[in-house]
Each structure stands twice: as structure tokens, then as C-alpha cells.
Amino acid sequence: METFLVILFFLICLGSMTTTLVAIIQILTNEFNGSKGMWIIISMIGIIGPILYLSKGRKLIVKK
């Protein structure tokens, strides 16, 4: 049981770090309808930041 919890925690952290990295790259390389600095900081906040980025921040990216 403890091994399962450790693996689950590791996967959540790895997913959060990956989402944060992808978010920062997308914010910096695409046009963005919001404050880039604020959304970069929001996406860097632990596990909550990537969830906020996926739910609200992705809508602000302008795709050409």
C-alpha cells in the first residue's frame, strides 16, 4: 500500500512538472491574451497551477 502511494505521488508530481514546462513554453512562444508573467507564475504553483492553466489559461492562447 505504501509503495502504491509513493508511486502515485511521484506520478502526480511528474505530471505537474511536465504540464508546467509545457505551459511556460506555450505561453512564451505563442500570442497570449493575458498577462504572460502572471500566468507563468500561476502555472508554477505546485499542483494547483497546472490545473488552473489547463482549465483557464489554455483558452487565452491565440493560435495562428
Side-chain angles (χ1 to χ4, degrees):
M1 182 67 172
E2 292 175 7
T3 307
F4 175 73
L5 292 175
V6 170
I7 292 172
L8 181 65
F9 180 72
F10 176 75
L11 290 175
I12 289 172
C13 290
L14 184 65
S16 176
M17 288 175 29
T18 304
T19 305
T20 299
L21 183 63
V22 169
I24 291 172
I25 290 170
Q26 285 186 351
I27 290 170
L28 291 176
T29 58
N30 295 319
E31 295 205 20
F32 196 71
N33 284 338
S35 171
K36 286 186 176 189
M38 181 183 76
W39 274 101
I40 288 173
I41 291 173
I42 287 173
S43 67
M44 291 173 63
I45 299 173
I47 296 171
I48 303 294
I51 294 171
L52 289 173
Y53 170 75
L54 290 173
S55 64
K56 298 184 182 184
R58 287 179 65 184
K59 297 172 187 164
L60 299 174
I61 292 177
V62 176
K63 300 255 179 168
K64 294 181 179 180

